[in-house]
Amino acid sequence: MGRVKDIIVLPNGFNVYPEDVENALRVAGVRDSVVIETRPGRIEAIVLRPGPPGIFGGGSPSGEAAVAASLDDETRVSIDETVKAANATLAQHQRVAAWRLWPDADFPRTHTLKVKRDQVRAWAAVDQPLPVRQGA
């Protein structure tokens, strides 16, 4: 269980703990993620680029443009397959509907290395998600 303010309460009354979904994504192979509710009942994952940390220079204002330009089909398929694998281990109400690639090398963090979820939520409010395709 995580912090009470981070719990996602779905319209049907189910509670989703973002840490549970993030752990499933990590086990499936995602380097790091932040799970948020973007609209009532819609769970999305913000993920870091696959590969070792620091391979993609982040922190620059042009980070988003660099991500869009360098998100090739192979990376997109890899992340999509990983999210599908994680969804297979989660309950129906916990499944990720879409994912987005974070534009920097790492999430904004506090001095104790916790992710600043409010900044990630603010970014997600203006960015467009990539849906998880359920087809083969």
Side-chain angles (χ1 to χ4, degrees), residues 13-60:
F14 283 112
N15 291 340
V16 176
Y17 295 91
E19 292 81 9
D20 293 345
V21 181
E22 290 163 5
N23 287 336
L25 288 166
R26 194 171 296 115
V27 167
V30 172
R31 186 162 54 101
D32 201 2
S33 63
V34 174
V35 173
I36 59 174
E37 182 181 34
T38 54
R39 292 192 315 250
R42 183 175 175 85
I43 298 172
E44 295 185 15
I46 314 302
V47 301
L48 293 179
R49 177 171 292 283
I55 222 170
F56 179 69
S60 67

Side-chain angles (χ1 to χ4, degrees), residues 49 56 62-73 75-76 101 103:
R49 177 171 292 283
F56 179 69
S62 62
E64 291 182 40
V67 166
S70 66
L71 184 59
D72 57 7
D73 287 337
T75 302
R76 187 181 305 240
L101 189 63

Side-chain angles (χ1 to χ4, degrees), residues 2 9 42 46 49 53 74 83 86 101-102 123 126 135:
V9 180
R42 183 175 175 85
I46 314 302
R49 177 171 292 283
E74 184 178 322
V83 172
L101 189 63
W102 184 251
W123 174 82
V126 296

